[in-house]
Amino acid sequence: VMKILVTGGAGFIGSHTCVELLEAGHDVVILDDLSNASGTVIDKIETITGKRPAFYQADAKDRTVLHEIFTAHRIDAVVHFAGFKAVGESCHIPLAYYRNNLDSTLALLEEMAQAGCTRFVFSSSATVYGPDNAIPYVETMPTYVATNPYGWTKVMIEQILRDYCTATPGFTAVLLRYFNPIGGHPSGLLGDDPNGIPNNLMPYIARVAAGQLDKLTIFGDDYPTPDGTCRRDYLHVVDLAKGHLKAIDYAMEHTGAEAFNLGTGHAVSVLELVNTFMEATGVNVPYVIGPRREGDLPQMWADTHKAETILGWKAEKTVADMCRASWNFVCSVKKQLCPVRNRNNKTAVSLRDGCFCCLHLVDPGGAVVRDRLPVHMGEQRDDRADAADDIEQRERHGKPELPVPRQGGHMLPLRQKDIERDDRVPQPALSEAGGPRQQCRADHAEALLCEQPQRNGAQQPGGARLATPLHN
Ligand code: UFG
């Protein structure tokens, strides 16, 4: 049994990796500042694995906390996910990207040196191959040209780790170059859940499918590819998480810096992914063709030979599996929206309104007693009871309705203690093999999901009465 420090362990890839580590019998310490993740992920990891990881909510640059962690735990290896990762944003605030991503890595390496910890697994990216290499990408190719500051942080950190390994015999750095991870945990509890409007393709498709966004824009269909849309190497996040176990095993037996591609070795176009999603889930995804997105390469995929032969790792899941898992996660999140009552037994139910959800106050009989309390999308999972309170307050004091917010608009405060729900019971998720897909066929999946029996058997005021979506 090893004790692994996972920075960014509450994030998309980090959380799935924590699950795999715990299920393999390892101890896990999570360090995450929750700047792009929810604290409820820690509970969900416990629900899935039956083990609660130690959790420190702090910035990975925070030397005091790092020192505390390395003093309190005998850490055998570090898996470093924490970092800023939005390509577009990195072009606008490059200093923040360099400061955050480089500093956290340096701070970790220095604390590891003090503690005598010598194994480091780094979340790198296929972006390090830059625009000039031929495809498929092979680990031996040069990686010194990135196309944006985010990509440069990955190139630079890889170089820092190589230099450090050269200077420090006995130290191991495994550089894992991820291609395009999508999907989620089969329980439906973990998945990719970005705040605001997603940048990446799969979370965007899933929100269009769920009716939270109107349509997908495909960025260009005039690329030199078979159908004209860009091709990527999408891999299932559970496969990717398993790759980290193999990387840790490798680190225990080797020293020095070594890079590995983690991908499937197959390219899938944007159109193929959209079509596979529709086939695999039975849900329609309206799309339009738009202009190209700046900086996109026509196609890329991994040469997976090295990971297969040296790590003994190979991605196993199909693109249809990935699509079902992504949809399953969105369906599960939506289910969590419904059964939350405030102290007066009123329920706040969210219904879509463009990109934003509006909350509607529903009495125990299911009638909508008050509607249109807008709430920012990113907040929607945790504030049902608060919202119900808030709507009632507004009623009582005759306060005007809030305007429907634009992105980054009004946010409701969280008051976890009022929320009556049990997140720890695994969802009756759609099975990976297909599941009761007709339940998700409706255009307005959310209202439909309110009709489903609640997993904890608790009374669900008004559930069945919301069969017809309410739109303003
Ligand atoms: N796309 C659309 N519409 C959308 C979103 C994306 O058509 O609304 C297209 C993109 O143009 C691209 C493909 O879908 O052709 C995949 O785009 P993603 O943003 O999902 O993924 P990228 O391949 O652009 O980016 C990923 C990671 C980055 C990493 C990069 C390069 O998100 O972290 O690969 O390796 F830097």
Side-chain angles (χ1 to χ4, degrees):
V1 174
M2 285 185 282
K3 193 173 259 196
I4 318 286
L5 171 61
V6 183
T7 74
F12 173 45
I13 309 172
S15 59
H16 287 85
T17 301
C18 289
V19 166
E20 295 302 323
L21 288 168
L22 289 162
E23 287 187 339
H26 298 305
D27 288 335
V28 169
V29 178
I30 294 177
L31 170 63
D32 197 305
D33 66 359
L34 303 182
S35 59
N36 194 26
S38 163
T40 61
V41 167
I42 311 297
D43 302 331
K44 291 172 183 168
I45 291 170
E46 185 185 7
T47 302
I48 293 167
T49 64
K51 288 184 240 166
R52 191 166 185 87
F55 173 53
Y56 292 79
Q57 184 178 349
D59 192 314
K61 302 189 290 297
D62 187 329
R63 300 295 294 261
T64 314
V65 175
L66 287 177
H67 191 75
E68 196 185 313
I69 292 172
F70 281 100
T71 308
H73 306 271
R74 203 186 57 75
I75 302 290
D76 295 294
V78 175
V79 186
H80 182 35
F81 292 100
F84 294 161
K85 61 170 189 176
V87 173
E89 185 183 60
S90 76
C91 299
H92 294 114
I93 48 169
L95 295 187
Y97 271 67
Y98 289 116
R99 171 67 71 196
N100 187 66
N101 292 4
L102 298 187
D103 251 14
S104 57
T105 309
L106 295 172
L108 271 167
L109 291 173
E110 286 168 0
E111 290 298 331
M112 286 172 73
Q114 275 193 24
C117 177
T118 59
R119 283 144 192 138
F120 194 84
V121 176
F122 177 59
S123 280
S124 191
S125 164
T127 198
V128 300
Y129 289 106
D132 300 325
N133 280 306
I135 36 173
Y137 294 146
V138 187
E139 289 87 344
T140 47
M141 288 175 167
T143 61
Y144 47 77
V145 181
T147 50
N148 56 72
Y150 158 78
W152 273 115
T153 68
K154 297 295 182 191
V155 172
M156 289 175 180
I157 293 167
E158 284 201 358
Q159 188 58 41
I160 290 169
L161 291 167
R162 275 189 290 264
D163 291 343
Y164 187 57
C165 284
T166 306
T168 318
F171 194 88
T172 319
V174 185
L175 319 174
L176 298 180
R177 296 176 178 163
Y178 310 149
F179 282 70
N180 289 60
I182 57 174
H185 193 266
S187 63
L189 292 175
L190 302 175
D192 194 4
D193 192 18
N195 288 331
I197 296 174
N199 294 312
N200 295 117
L201 182 58
M202 183 50 98
Y204 205 104
I205 289 175
R207 287 202 188 162
V208 172
Q212 293 169 341
L213 293 167
D214 282 343
K215 58 180 183 305
L216 170 73
T217 300
I218 294 179
F219 298 141
D221 69 348
D222 56 353
Y223 284 97
T225 59
D227 65 20
T229 65
C230 292
R231 299 166 82 212
R232 294 288 180 271
D233 185 340
Y234 297 96
L235 80 159
H236 200 298
V237 66
V238 172
D239 278 336
L240 178 59
K242 291 182 171 150
H244 293 75
L245 260 72
K246 298 287 190 184
I248 290 168
D249 291 346
Y250 173 88
M252 302 313 288
E253 317 249 295
H254 299 80
T255 59
E258 205 64 55
F260 295 95
N261 289 338
L262 297 185
T264 63
H266 302 286
V268 171
S269 76
V270 177
L271 265 176
E272 285 169 336
L273 189 68
V274 173
N275 286 326
T276 306
F277 184 96
M278 292 198 277
E279 273 165 34
T281 65
V283 185
N284 190 35
V285 179
Y287 64 82
V288 293
I289 306 294
R292 291 182 176 194
R293 182 172 72 177
E294 204 187 327
D296 277 340
L297 296 174
Q299 49 186 354
M300 64 169 77
W301 66 92
D303 181 311
T304 58
H305 187 74
K306 188 173 175 186
E308 276 172 41
T309 52
I310 298 181
L311 293 184
W313 174 87
K314 192 174 175 8
E316 284 167 356
K317 294 185 187 286
T318 66
V319 178
D321 292 335
M322 302 174 206
C323 291
R324 277 191 289 270
S326 292
W327 178 236
N328 187 22
F329 173 66
V330 172
C331 289
S332 298
V333 168
K334 286 172 149 294
K335 274 180 242 174
Q336 292 165 30
L337 300 185
C338 296
V340 182
R341 286 166 291 142
N342 74 357
R343 285 162 299 223
N344 301 330
N345 211 23
K346 302 265 172 60
T347 307
V349 175
S350 74
L351 295 164
R352 92 183 161 111
D353 185 348
C355 292
F356 295 94
C357 283
C358 280
L359 295 180
H360 301 252
L361 190 66
V362 178
D363 74 14
V368 173
V369 294
R370 188 82 176 83
D371 63 3
R372 304 210 75 204
L373 183 79
V375 55
H376 191 274
M377 279 284 291
E379 296 291 290
Q380 67 190 2
R381 276 150 304 152
D382 295 311
D383 55 15
R384 305 290 98 174
D386 262 358
D389 277 355
D390 211 354
I391 302 172
E392 285 199 312
Q393 288 270 336
R394 237 160 247 290
E395 280 285 80
R396 225 169 281 135
H397 302 299
K399 286 198 185 144
E401 284 177 27
L402 295 169
V404 176
R406 302 205 166 276
Q407 191 178 10
H410 174 73
M411 296 226 189
L412 292 165
L414 297 183
R415 259 199 346 242
Q416 196 70 32
K417 63 180 166 31
D418 289 339
I419 296 179
E420 294 179 47
R421 64 146 191 249
D422 189 0
D423 255 355
R424 297 181 180 216
V425 181
Q427 309 279 328
L430 300 177
S431 77
E432 285 262 305
R437 63 167 71 156
Q438 71 283 3
Q439 290 180 343
C440 291
R441 271 182 192 275
D443 291 331
H444 305 290
E446 190 157 314
L448 191 75
L449 286 161
C450 291
E451 293 181 299
Q452 296 179 359
Q454 293 307 304
R455 60 192 174 281
N456 56 9
Q459 324 76 309
Q460 216 295 237
R465 300 275 295 275
L466 278 168
T468 311
L470 305 171
H471 281 275
N472 302 301

